[in-house]
Amino acid sequence: MTSISTATPGWLALRAPADDAARSPELARDLARMLPPGSASSPLVLHDLGAGTGSMTRWLAPRLPGPQRWILRDGDADIVEHLDLRAVVDASGTPISSDVVVEHLASLPSDAFRGAAAVTASALLDVITEAEAAHIVAACTDAGTPALFTLSVSGTARLRPAEHPDDVEREIGSAFNDHQRRDQDGRRMLGPDAVAVVGALFAEAGWNVRTASTPWRLARGNALTREWLDGWTAAAVEQRPALAREAAGYRARRDEQAAAGRLRVTVAHEDLLAWPR
Ligand SMILES: C[S@@+](CC[C@H](N)C(=O)[O-])C[C@H]1O[C@@H](n2cnc3c(N)ncnc32)[C@H](O)[C@@H]1O
């Protein structure tokens, strides 16, 4: 099996509060209005792709009517061991039911979403390939199932206080974006192009597409900031090793600001909702 970009449970737990604050409640509300009524004998079936530890289900289920049955799909058998859906309820307070499918997206059956009410994902589109995205979109359009894909990185990060000059920071940002689009074991990931590519695939199929800007806003003292900075600079240097010395100096300046509680970061993401005309 080809490798996939995995995440650790610790990283997903650390980012969860920023993710929850960032996702668009408006797009979730729009999705809720599209859903057919469910019943105890025929619950709404929702698929969450790249489910990880279940963060999207925990955030979205209470915003949608029920009863709900979730199918959580992920290619990493270890991460789904940490799934935690205890206490997840729908909008009327009814507990959800769920099943887990361990499966690489390339093996997603083309009729996987037949009869489903919605397909969701969070922090997934940027780590998949164009072929995998096309496969997901085809499965959605074939089944006529609306899709809500949240928190795809869109390629910009703003750090405050601003650096003058900011050329090292701009180089790191650009190298990081190239790293996001890198070819890994023959898989070229969509990175910051994800929402444009997936939106175009749905539009080509004649579907409606709505997007929302959903940045992380990491305030001073947020523990996620240093972890994010670590990953951002390390990926940039891995992509362009010639940046190593300047990136180390940059990192030291930003670390000092973070330790003093002075660093604020905004990391751009986008949510995408697609539904049939
Ligand atoms: C960044 S994590 C996001 C997890 C979760 N949706 C969240 O928001 O916390 C991406 C998840 O997608 C899964 N994944 C990535 N590429 C995949 C693929 N091609 N097939 C199946 N799962 C994949 C990873 O195993 C990981 O659990």
Side-chain angles (χ1 to χ4, degrees), residues 17-32:
D19 286 349
D20 290 353
R23 291 189 197 95
S24 166
E26 290 78 20
L27 293 191
R29 212 172 299 137
D30 290 346
L31 175 65

Side-chain angles (χ1 to χ4, degrees), residues 25 30 161 163 185:
D30 290 346
E163 287 233 307
D185 302 327

Side-chain angles (χ1 to χ4, degrees), residues 192-219:
D193 308 320
V195 163
V197 168
V198 172
L201 287 166
F202 275 116
E204 276 163 27
W207 278 37
N208 295 299
V209 174
R210 186 172 298 158
T211 60
S213 166
T214 51
W216 278 351
R217 295 186 199 282
L218 309 183

Side-chain angles (χ1 to χ4, degrees), residues 124-202:
L124 176 74
L125 297 186
D126 45 78
V127 297
I128 66 174
T129 66
E130 184 157 7
E132 289 160 3
H135 190 47
I136 296 171
V137 170
C140 290
T141 54
D142 182 55
T145 311
L148 177 60
F149 297 145
T150 65
L151 297 180
S152 306
V153 292
S154 52
T156 54
R158 199 184 69 172
L159 291 90
R160 290 290 180 269
E163 287 233 307
H164 299 295
D166 66 351
D167 24 328
V168 175
E169 186 167 280
R170 279 193 285 114
E171 270 240 44
I172 291 173
S174 145
F176 175 81
N177 285 341
D178 288 347
H179 187 268
Q180 292 272 103
R181 297 184 181 101
R182 74 193 177 285
D183 195 312
Q184 194 179 23
D185 302 327
R187 296 175 68 245
R188 186 176 165 78
M189 292 180 281
L190 289 175
D193 308 320
V195 163
V197 168
V198 172
L201 287 166
F202 275 116

Side-chain angles (χ1 to χ4, degrees), residues 87-98:
V88 182
V89 294
D90 65 31
S92 66
T94 304
I96 66 161
S97 64
S98 62

